[in-house]
Amino acid sequence: MSARAWVMAGAGAALLVLGVGGAMHTRAGLRALAALGVPCPVDRVSAAQVDHIRRAGLAGLRGDTPAPVRPAVAGLVLDTTTEAQARALLARAHAACEMQARGYRHLRCRGVDAAALGLAGPPVSEMWLSFGPAGRLVGVDVYRRGMRPDDVRAVWSDAAGRLRAALGAPGLAVGDPAPDVLAASPIQTARVQYRYADYVATVTAAHLPQTGLSVREQYLSARM
């Protein structure tokens, strides 16, 4: 997969379109917003515009049946957890977070201790929580980069294993997440994804020149 395809498929379709604020600064994100008449900086984007983009992206990602369960991380519950509840949970994890309002409201947390969130592996480089117009959690994005091979194995096994235990085999599985395979060339990715009418979960392992070995977990509400 090319770097352009990574940005378009990852950030553009499954991150930007579904309302995670940081991805709005990607090339794909800026193009999508420009189509709606939103200039840079994206701080001026409205909730209605973000909601429009999110719904358009969900149309291409949603499955046909509801999920039996909708796992996220750290006790966060999609379409239920409020910003205040999320802040309290992250405070207990000693996470340093800041609020960013880009149409939707987003909590951006850096350097979060993984164990405090109930996750395996090294500290979380960035964690984004996105809250929809009703003030409820609609997206969780957990990203770790610059990882050692053993860290990649631990994080992938933990994230993919939790989803498999809850939901069975993924609907989509592409690439090989083994660190030696990912590191064999400058641009490699592996991904598993679950698509339901009300839920989309994705785990992606990648090797990119700018970030080295990385793993990203996404848990998204697909309720319309």
Side-chain angles (χ1 to χ4, degrees):
M1 178 180 285
S2 70
R4 178 181 176 82
W6 162 266
V7 173
M8 292 297 290
L15 191 110
L16 159 74
V17 172
L18 297 170
V20 177
M24 292 184 186
H25 288 295
T26 66
R27 190 181 312 167
L30 293 174
R31 280 201 298 269
L33 290 168
L36 293 176
V38 181
C40 189
V42 299
D43 302 68
R44 295 193 294 269
V45 66
S46 71
Q49 288 166 322
V50 172
D51 205 51
H52 179 85
I53 297 171
R54 180 175 183 272
R55 288 174 178 272
L58 283 171
L61 287 176
R62 297 171 75 223
D64 297 324
T65 60
V69 292
R70 300 194 301 163
V73 298
L76 296 165
V77 181
L78 294 170
D79 296 307
T80 298
T81 299
T82 65
E83 181 184 328
Q85 290 169 332
R87 283 183 179 276
L89 184 152
L90 291 165
R92 292 194 293 271
H94 305 290
C97 304
E98 61 179 359
M99 174 53 63
Q100 298 193 12
R102 295 171 180 170
Y104 284 6
R105 290 174 64 83
H106 310 275
L107 268 179
R108 181 190 192 188
C109 308
R110 295 181 175 181
V112 186
D113 179 55
L117 299 175
L119 305 176
V124 173
S125 304
E126 288 198 36
M127 180 175 180
W128 285 81
L129 305 183
S130 298
F131 299 87
R136 306 287 175 168
L137 183 71
V138 295
V140 179
D141 194 278
V142 180
Y143 181 57
R144 284 177 269 195
R145 59 182 176 268
M147 302 169 71
R148 298 176 303 180
D150 286 348
D151 292 333
V152 173
R153 294 187 188 95
V155 173
W156 178 275
S157 177
D158 177 51
R162 281 185 279 107
L163 287 171
R164 181 177 285 271
L167 297 167
L172 172 71
V174 295
D176 188 335
D180 56 336
V181 175
L182 294 173
S185 62
I187 299 172
Q188 290 289 333
T189 63
R191 178 177 293 117
V192 295
Q193 188 171 70
Y194 295 77
R195 298 182 177 188
Y196 292 93
D198 56 356
Y199 176 72
V200 178
T202 309
V203 181
T204 304
H207 176 224
L208 297 175
Q210 301 90 341
T211 58
L213 292 171
S214 64
V215 177
R216 187 178 74 202
E217 304 172 48
Q218 284 186 306
Y219 308 93
L220 304 166
S221 170
R223 289 180 180 169
M224 304 295 277

